[in-house]
Amino acid sequence: MGRKYKPKLAVWKFASCDGCQLTLLDCEDELLAVTDEIQIANFPEASRAIVKGPYDVSLVEGSITTSHDAERIHKIRRSSKVLVVIGACATAGGIQALRNFANVEDYKSIVYASPEYIDTLSKSTPIADHVFVDFELRGCPISKSQLIELVTAYLSGRKPNIPPHSVCIECKRRGTVCVMVSTGIPCLGPVTQAGCRALCPSYNRGCYGCFGPKETPNTDSLSVQFKKFNMSRDAIKRAFRGFNAYAEPFRKASEAHEK
Amino acid sequence: MKNRTVKVDYLARVEGEGGLFVRVKNDVVTEAKFRIFEPPRFFEAFLRGRHFTEAPDITARICGICPIAYQMSSVHAMEQACGVVVDGQLRALRRLIYCGEWIESHVLHIYMLHAPDFLGYEDAIQIAKDHPDVVKQALKLKKIGNDIVALLGGREIHPINIKVGGFYRVPSKTELAPLAEKLKWALDTAIETARFTSTLPFPKMERDYEFVSTSHPDEYPFNEGNIISSKQLDITKDDFYNHFEEQHVKHSTSLHSVRKATGEYHVGPLARYNLNYDRLPDVAKQAATAAGLETTCTNPFKSIIVRAVETVFACHEALRIITEYEEPRTPSVDVQPKAGVGHGCTEAPRGMLYHRYRIDDKGIIQDAKIVPPTSQNQKVIESDLADFVSRNIGLPQDKLTWQCEQVVRNYDPCISCSCHFLKLHIERE
């Protein structure tokens, strides 16, 4: 086939656990095939080699929590043709967005002896609050197969096929009996976007919302059902206030159950 | 060249954001810093007010590389607070999932993060161009670790099946059986990996470390045991804060853990190996001997061999657990909240991970303390840097810089873990 142009892929990290970018290294069966097709131009977790931009596709992990990072994301946007955010931190602010419901000054003094050294913003915000984002890949962590689908789609110039429907659909597809109906286990599946293949219900536990709100979620109706299971207001608040706490539908649902 | 600076702004092939800085004046190292600029995420703060059953899922998110370690330290702490002991096959399954995490994390580090340094490649993808079979084999071995975690935990990263008291669902014997076949291959490949690592060129460096790890009377440590050191320490995990503290060092960017009586200490594979050698199975001891290791090892660069030996152990231990497995009658034991304090101290792939929680009678977390391995190793990483540079002051700049990076990577530092607890100060020039 001769020499062909290899698109340049960059991976960027903001406040996060590294798990979503690790998903790329966890694609053990596909990794070498992927690197045949693309040039990994900036991926510090895996390589010392850094190739200058502009980049064809940038994958951005993590949320914005410092003023320095709020600047840095603009530079990355400017050097990226396509910018895709990966994981709950980048799409919704992540678990560290729990600070958004509290006073960050209190948080600093709980964790650090000299809080004045800590450079942090009062809120942890998703990337889309700062720059234009071409696509959001959900999950805490993201799914391997969705990541492969996404990279393949952008390399061939089409939209990724990532369905926005609920986890319930995946349970039905798998043939998993509904944990909420059959055993009364509270489950966020009805309001959560699919992508995990309805993992938790298949292990006899309720969904805890890793993939964030589905399109048009009815959190009020689900809250009524939770009350019937004798969940306290505080427990309902905590259920919505997880890894996607700052995604708007979940945020509103948790705030509705604030004391 | 009497005065020089070695500076790496963004350290590659580690988990998270860090850099290093060494200053030399008149051929004497005056400053050695392992800098961390990962933004803080405040886990210890937002854990307050959460239910004790949520700790394993929440703390897993501290680190995508070693979520099992966080889940294990937190469930053991909560069970101690509530006065519950999880035993029998459930205890064995917890060791099994930890084996999976060690295999996955160690193999990732050996081949993809650490070996490129020894072989002069920028990354494993470059190695794959020259030696595709080595990298393919490494990926296959790593995947078997991930297969264990995914089968028992539901997925590789942030598993969903770990709970206070046990599991949500336990596997049947038949579900585990295919893993045994893969593990037989993995055991052989791990032995081969140990042999391969022993052929790498090792810089000369032996240091008189104080090694610290957990230690169990009968087993190589994962979840249980006292905390011991190579310099007269043998305490229960409840006693951690009486002997260790996190210190604010002048001009330093981060909190450093020290042992109050002695100062800096070293956690991780090298520490476990030196303190628990006699509890390794014969197959791992033989792999160590074949790779040229004695019963003690104090060259930090050789941690790559020790990781391979621990991978042999983890494959062997996983096989043993699967062979002896009988499905327990219930997937978990009932745990009712009780006001009190619980401690968890387990061995993450990169070293000892300590958790302490205080909960009230309704199970609400009042206070949380988490001390990850990388924050404990920070001080020793900095003194390794100073020591290494003063011994190798004649090296050309690019080689010295690369080897300084390697000194840090010896510890497989997980900056994403450590930073949430570290003092942070960004210096901009």
Side-chain angles (χ1 to χ4, degrees):
Chain A
M1 289 287 283
R3 291 219 319 251
K4 60 175 179 185
Y5 174 71
K6 276 191 174 187
K8 288 198 270 183
L9 177 86
V11 182
W12 308 95
K13 177 186 156 66
F14 290 83
S16 68
C17 78
D18 274 56
C20 289
Q21 52 175 315
L22 181 72
T23 305
L24 194 58
L25 297 179
D26 272 356
C27 295
E28 291 100 352
D29 295 334
E30 300 88 359
L31 188 64
L32 294 179
V34 169
T35 58
D36 279 346
E37 296 299 319
I38 58 171
Q39 181 185 13
I40 299 207
N42 183 83
F43 187 9
E45 183 170 293
S47 178
R48 289 178 96 228
I50 306 284
V51 180
K52 273 193 176 166
Y55 305 100
D56 293 279
V57 179
S58 274
L59 302 178
V60 177
E61 170 193 279
S63 68
I64 303 295
T65 60
T66 66
S67 48
H68 174 65
D69 280 354
E71 294 282 322
R72 187 161 63 100
I73 189 62
H74 284 278
K75 285 187 196 146
I76 291 169
R77 176 69 264 190
R78 282 199 294 275
S79 63
S80 310
K81 282 189 202 163
V82 172
L83 187 149
V84 178
V85 295
I86 56 169
C89 297
T91 61
I95 188 74
Q96 59 273 19
L98 292 181
R99 80 177 67 177
N100 303 5
F101 303 91
N103 180 345
V104 79
E105 296 306 315
D106 296 344
Y107 270 26
K108 281 191 202 173
S109 56
I110 289 171
V111 182
Y112 297 97
S114 310
E116 65 276 12
Y117 286 123
I118 304 297
D119 166 27
T120 194
L121 299 171
S122 60
K123 286 193 165 46
S124 165
T125 44
I127 302 298
D129 281 13
H130 300 264
V131 294
F132 174 77
V133 163
D134 290 279
F135 194 81
E136 296 194 332
L137 191 64
R138 302 281 197 82
C140 183
I142 54 170
S143 121
K144 258 198 229 182
S145 57
Q146 288 196 343
L147 178 65
I148 298 281
E149 160 60 16
L150 177 115
V151 173
T152 318
Y154 278 104
L155 291 178
S156 47
R158 62 170 171 84
K159 268 195 82 178
N161 176 17
I162 310 281
H165 58 228
S166 71
V167 171
C168 292
I169 309 262
E170 292 189 311
C171 266
K172 302 296 169 286
R173 280 205 178 129
R174 279 184 80 138
T176 305
V177 176
C178 179
V179 291
M180 202 146 65
V181 172
S182 66
T183 42
I185 297 172
C187 178
L188 285 178
V191 297
T192 299
Q193 181 168 309
C196 61
R197 296 189 64 246
L199 193 59
C200 287
S202 75
Y203 278 77
N204 303 328
R205 76 178 287 196
C207 163
Y208 60 91
C210 296
F211 279 65
K214 75 181 257 286
E215 57 179 3
T216 66
N218 191 343
T219 51
D220 289 348
S221 165
L222 186 63
S223 302
V224 170
Q225 190 61 39
F226 282 176
K227 270 177 220 141
K228 288 185 190 158
F229 294 146
N230 292 324
M231 272 175 85
S232 67
R233 286 177 65 80
D234 193 54
I236 298 174
K237 182 191 84 183
R238 275 191 272 108
F240 286 109
R241 203 163 279 183
F243 308 106
N244 286 281
Y246 206 56
E248 192 174 306
F250 286 5
R251 175 169 63 80
K252 286 188 171 159
S254 78
E255 281 169 350
H257 293 86
E258 203 97 55
K259 267 156 215 163
Chain B
M1 204 164 36
K2 283 187 176 311
N3 301 331
R4 67 196 290 193
T5 325
V6 177
K7 194 162 160 268
V8 177
D9 289 332
Y10 198 126
L11 193 65
R13 279 189 269 118
V14 299
E15 294 88 21
E17 300 178 287
L20 63 90
F21 181 88
V22 182
R23 180 175 289 152
V24 179
K25 263 190 189 157
N26 295 320
D27 287 344
V28 176
V29 176
T30 54
E31 207 179 342
K33 274 188 189 168
F34 170 39
R35 298 201 294 191
I36 291 195
F37 43 88
E38 175 104 12
R41 296 199 289 151
F42 303 110
F43 276 83
E44 289 161 324
F46 60 65
L47 277 164
R48 292 186 180 184
R50 303 299 297 213
H51 198 246
F52 76 112
T53 54
E54 294 181 293
D57 291 324
I58 292 178
T59 59
R61 267 66 180 185
I62 291 171
C63 178
I65 325 291
C66 48
I68 297 294
Y70 284 87
Q71 298 193 320
M72 286 299 135
S73 285
S74 60
V75 295
H76 283 86
M78 294 307 181
E79 285 156 13
Q80 189 194 30
C82 302
V84 169
V85 174
V86 173
D87 220 332
Q89 290 295 335
L90 292 176
R91 178 183 186 278
L93 285 177
R94 284 178 165 179
R95 281 180 74 80
L96 179 59
I97 198 167
Y98 231 143
C99 288
E101 180 161 285
W102 277 25
I103 296 169
E104 181 274 322
S105 175
H106 277 357
V107 175
L108 174 77
H109 191 258
I110 292 168
Y111 284 102
M112 307 189 78
L113 309 182
H114 210 190
D117 285 332
F118 291 95
L119 301 171
Y121 290 95
E122 305 273 8
D123 53 52
I125 295 155
Q126 283 189 3
I127 300 182
K129 286 193 183 119
D130 295 341
H131 309 282
D133 293 342
V134 174
V135 177
K136 277 183 195 155
Q137 179 158 293
L139 288 168
K140 190 174 165 192
L141 182 58
K142 174 176 171 302
K143 187 165 192 252
I144 292 171
N146 268 336
D147 287 345
I148 299 177
V149 178
L151 177 70
L152 277 176
R155 62 185 172 199
E156 299 88 343
I157 300 169
H158 305 330
I160 52 91
N161 193 26
I162 308 282
K163 67 187 268 194
V164 179
F167 296 84
Y168 289 91
R169 183 176 87 77
V170 286
S172 65
K173 270 178 90 104
T174 351
E175 277 177 283
L176 284 184
L179 276 181
E181 287 313 307
K182 292 183 188 173
L183 279 162
K184 284 175 195 160
W185 177 88
L187 181 60
D188 290 341
T189 310
I191 293 168
E192 168 56 26
T193 298
R195 198 205 54 76
F196 159 73
T197 57
S198 72
T199 64
L200 298 169
F202 292 102
K204 280 201 171 46
M205 183 163 167
E206 305 284 337
R207 299 202 63 212
D208 179 27
Y209 294 115
E210 173 165 13
F211 290 118
V212 174
S213 86
T214 53
S215 185
H216 187 275
D218 314 312
E219 301 164 328
Y220 204 71
F222 274 127
N223 289 317
E224 295 168 15
N226 276 4
I227 298 169
I228 67 166
S229 105
S230 53
K231 294 188 177 165
Q232 279 95 42
L233 178 77
D234 188 348
I235 57 168
T236 64
K237 60 183 180 177
D238 307 25
D239 234 6
F240 181 87
Y241 271 117
N242 291 329
H243 293 268
F244 295 92
E245 65 182 346
E246 292 149 299
Q247 257 183 12
H248 188 188
V249 185
K250 210 176 176 187
H251 306 307
S252 165
T253 55
S254 62
L255 271 189
H256 297 242
S257 278
V258 291
R259 184 179 159 199
K260 288 177 185 174
T262 49
E264 67 177 51
Y265 62 99
H266 181 137
V267 300
L270 221 51
R272 284 192 293 261
Y273 180 84
N274 281 287
L275 295 170
N276 303 281
Y277 174 83
D278 55 336
R279 272 139 289 172
L280 281 171
D282 288 343
V283 62
K285 285 181 185 162
Q286 283 154 11
T289 310
L293 287 188
E294 311 274 332
T295 57
T296 59
C297 173
T298 57
N299 180 340
F301 291 93
K302 291 191 176 172
S303 61
I304 192 170
I305 310 180
V306 176
R307 277 189 195 90
V309 170
E310 285 198 332
T311 307
V312 173
F313 154 73
C315 292
H316 177 271
E317 177 71 359
L319 261 174
R320 184 191 67 77
I321 292 167
I322 291 172
T323 314
E324 294 170 10
Y325 181 64
E326 294 294 336
E327 192 176 332
R329 270 176 301 149
T330 56
S332 65
V333 295
D334 184 45
V335 183
Q336 289 303 321
K338 217 165 98 179
V341 175
H343 310 256
C345 194
T346 75
E347 288 290 337
R350 44 194 62 65
M352 196 171 85
L353 166 63
Y354 171 81
H355 288 211
R356 186 193 73 189
Y357 300 94
R358 187 161 51 82
I359 62 172
D360 70 9
D361 56 357
K362 295 190 175 60
I364 301 298
I365 297 171
Q366 306 296 306
D367 182 63
K369 289 298 269 182
I370 298 174
V371 185
T374 297
S375 78
Q376 300 178 70
N377 274 337
Q378 271 204 112
K379 230 177 152 62
V380 99
I381 290 174
E382 293 188 343
S383 68
D384 272 13
L385 273 173
D387 186 84
F388 185 82
V389 173
S390 48
R391 286 171 199 233
N392 295 281
I393 211 109
L395 285 177
Q397 184 75 6
D398 54 344
K399 184 155 190 210
L400 184 61
T401 304
W402 192 330
Q403 290 209 329
C404 280
E405 290 181 38
Q406 196 179 348
V407 166
V408 178
R409 282 193 283 266
N410 284 337
Y411 289 85
D412 188 8
C414 191
I415 295 168
S416 302
C417 294
S418 59
C419 71
H420 315 300
F421 319 97
L422 301 178
K423 189 79 60 208
L424 181 88
H425 176 218
I426 303 174
E427 272 186 28
R428 290 201 188 89
E429 288 156 51

